[in-house]
């Protein structure tokens, strides 16, 4: 998924299930972000505050926009039902799967894009082909990795055949970065797709001005929402405006006032009580995939030694981290998958804070001298200095905690435009990542060596890579779970990855706003409406 940037670099976890919106309301708000109380009213403009520009509008190209505007602009072939955790029809009315390798879809025949063209099998084919280009973000590109051929048996059918089994394909298709766009948009140069997109969603893009706003308008002809939303027809809102307001205090004040903003996204945990006491509804949704975690560069000369990696793992006090970074709203990670992932496995026995063991591991690895600055030195006189690609509250806590065991964490963030490339280049010793697709294959996508991003720079022939590849060939839930369990244990026990927290999206909004829904972390505006 893209570079794992979040507001301030970190999010705040409270919720316990995949899609439950745990909300508290003051001054007349509803019980959740999916509140349907009252009679929905059509019309009006919803103003949403964002902390920074998202660098584009097409989720296949840029990160984070998939959780906001992109989900309103494009639909997916299948819909992931957050209650049943099953896949349901959307743009595809039905499908069949052969050996987790051949996927055949039958499409709706009434779907149009904003530019007036029709959804057909050929358009879907062009979409998939467009994702396998330089510049397409890794989250989208991973979805089509390994496709052998795409055929169009008839106008409203499409068949995708992989070289090898790909059990995660359907679930991946439910995400916004696999949203289907018009053939014209699919053919655009990648840089142009950042600026404009014609999708089949309930809204169309009217204007995008970087660092200012994104303006969406209702499509009156829209009539193909998933059954999950309980109705057909167009969206209720006439317009949605995403406004870029970097300062927390200004953004918070605007939504409390209720005129300039009615909704804010990525709320810092330290402001939750203030916003709640001001009468706003607070809702929280747990990331259904990986949570916030740190891939460890095993090709780094200091981190090739598993003992050093394990020292970092047990030298991290996650409970303290939660209190400092999110004012107690986060949940300490128990493994590389979020607790809300259908394949979650608890491997927290490898994550218990034990600074004495951390020191012993470092000493056994040859870092048994401590310099005058408190940083460990090896026999060659080298300081145990590790580079990291962010500098914010969360990383500063890590820096402080690891300094206590004699590790110097240097915080040296790259330019945002260079971030993904630099993270994949091996320039840093410790990186960051998270994923939001509710399927265990996110672990292969992140850490797989044979196929995947290999964010921990695994060498050839590791057992964990074998397991990560194998789980994606198995459709049976129980058999796949057993493989995922072993892979998750190895990832953490060998400290290829350091899970930190399970994170959530925290929303705050006026009680006049109803029906806004989170599915996974995607923001659905189809049923949203405002009191007049």
């Amino acid at each position: 998924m893209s570079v794992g940037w979040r507001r301030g670099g970190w999010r705040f976890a409270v919720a316990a299930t995949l899609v439950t919106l745990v909300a508290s309301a003051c001054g007349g708000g509803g019980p959740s972000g999916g509140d349907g109380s009252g009679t929905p009213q059509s019309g009006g403009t919803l103003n949403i505050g964002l902390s920074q520009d998202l660098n584009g509008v097409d989720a296949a190209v840029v990160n984070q926009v998939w959780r906001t505007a992109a989900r309103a602009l494009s639909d997916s072939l299948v819909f992931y039902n957050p209650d049943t955790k099953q896949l349901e029809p959307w743009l595809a009315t039905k499908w069949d799967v052969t050996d987790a390798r051949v996927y055949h879809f039958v499409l709706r025949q009434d779907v149009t894009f904003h530019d007036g063209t029709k959804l057909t099998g050929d358009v879907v084919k062009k979409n998939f082909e467009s994702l396998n280009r330089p510049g397409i973000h890794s989250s989208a590109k991973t979805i089509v990795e390994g496709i052998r051929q795409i055929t169009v048996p008839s106008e409203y059918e499409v068949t995708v055949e992989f070289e090898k089994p790909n059990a995660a394909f359907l679930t991946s298709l439910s995400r916004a970065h696999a949203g289907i766009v018009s053939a014209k948009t699919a053919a655009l140069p990648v840089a142009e797709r950042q600026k404009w997109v014609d999708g089949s969603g309930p809204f169309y893009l009217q204007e995008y001005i970087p660092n200012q706003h994104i303006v969406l308008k209702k499509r009156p002809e829209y009539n193909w929402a998933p059954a999950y939303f309980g109705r057909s027809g167009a969206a209720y809102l006439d317009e949605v405006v995403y406004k870029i307001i970097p300062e927390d205090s200004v953004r918070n004040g605007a939504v409390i006032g209720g005129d300039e903003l009615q909704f804010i996204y990525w709320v810092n945990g330290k402001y939750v009580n203030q916003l709640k006491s001001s009468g706003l509804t607070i809702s929280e949704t747990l990331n259904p995939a990986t949570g916030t975690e740190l891939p460890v560069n095993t090709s780094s000369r200091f981190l090739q030694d598993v003992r050093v990696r394990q020292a970092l793992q047990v030298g991290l006090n996650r409970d303290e981290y939660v209190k400092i970074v999110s004012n107690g709203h986060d949940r300490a990670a128990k493994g590389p998958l979020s607790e809300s992932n259908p394949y979650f496995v608890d491997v927290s026995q490898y994550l218990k804070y034990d600074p004495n063991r951390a020191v012993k591991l470092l000493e056994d690895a040859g870092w048994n001298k401590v310099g005058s600055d408190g940083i460990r030195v090896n026999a060659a006189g080298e300081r145990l200095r590790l580079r990291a690609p962010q500098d914010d509250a969360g990383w500063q806590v890590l820096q402080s905690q690891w300094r206590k065991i004699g590790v110097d964490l240097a915080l040296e963030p790259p330019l945002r435009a260079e971030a993904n490339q630099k993270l994949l280049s091996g320039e840093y010793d410790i990186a960051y990542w998270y994923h939001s697709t509710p399927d265990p294959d996110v672990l292969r996508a992140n850490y797989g060596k044979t196929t995947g991003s290999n964010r921990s720079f695994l060498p050839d022939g590791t057992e964990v890579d074998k397991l990560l590849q194998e789980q994606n060939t198995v459709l049976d839930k129980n058999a796949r779970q057993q493989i995922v369990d072993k892979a998750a244990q190895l990832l953490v026990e060998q400290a290829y990855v350091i899970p930190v927290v399970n994170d959530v999206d925290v929303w705050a909004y006026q009680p006049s706003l109803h029906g806004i829904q989170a599915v996974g972390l995607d923001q659905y505006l189809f049923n949203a409406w405002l009191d007049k």
Side-chain angles (χ1 to χ4, degrees), residues 293-298 300 303 308-309 312 385-390 395 398 402 407-411 423 426-433 455 457 495-496 498 500:
E293 56 192 36
L294 313 178
V296 179
N297 184 349
T298 59
S300 163
L303 297 176
V308 178
R309 303 197 303 265
L312 297 175
R385 182 180 186 271
L386 305 175
R387 296 184 66 216
Q390 282 192 332
W395 283 95
L398 294 172
W402 284 338
V407 178
D408 180 18
L409 185 65
L411 306 180
L423 292 184
E427 180 175 327
Y428 292 97
D429 300 287
I430 306 288
Y432 60 86
W433 199 246
R455 294 182 178 276
F457 299 89
Y496 295 130
I498 300 175
V500 182

Side-chain angles (χ1 to χ4, degrees), residues 10 24 37 121 144 170 173 179 189 197 216 220 249 337 341 369 378 391 452 469 479 495 527:
W10 306 88
S24 53
S37 62
V144 299
L170 280 179
L173 289 181
V197 59
L216 311 183
S249 60
L337 290 172
N341 190 285
K369 294 183 179 179
N378 64 14
D391 184 0
Q469 306 304 321
N527 272 343

Side-chain angles (χ1 to χ4, degrees), residues 111-189:
V111 176
T112 61
F113 299 97
H114 172 55
D115 64 5
T117 58
K118 297 192 305 180
L119 171 72
T120 65
D122 187 61
V123 171
V124 174
K125 180 177 185 289
K126 287 181 168 63
N127 267 257
F128 289 155
E129 291 171 342
S130 76
L131 298 182
N132 195 24
R133 294 187 290 165
I136 294 295
H137 211 284
S138 57
S139 293
K141 187 174 291 187
T142 300
I143 294 172
V144 299
E145 185 178 49
I147 290 179
R148 177 178 175 271
Q149 67 174 355
I150 306 171
T151 56
V152 182
S154 71
E155 185 176 12
Y156 296 105
E157 293 179 274
V158 63
T159 301
V160 180
E161 181 180 346
F162 286 86
E163 295 282 357
K164 299 178 181 178
N166 184 350
F169 184 56
L170 280 179
T171 303
S172 299
L173 289 181
S174 70
R175 306 312 316 284
H177 47 255
I180 303 299
V181 297
S182 69
K184 181 179 179 181
T185 297
L188 286 174

Side-chain angles (χ1 to χ4, degrees), residues 77 89-96 104-109 119 154 156-159:
L77 289 180
W90 196 350
L91 296 184
T93 60
K94 59 183 179 180
W95 53 87
D96 56 74
H104 174 253
F105 300 91
V106 177
L107 308 177
R108 292 185 66 122
Q109 300 183 21
L119 171 72
S154 71
Y156 296 105
E157 293 179 274
V158 63
T159 301

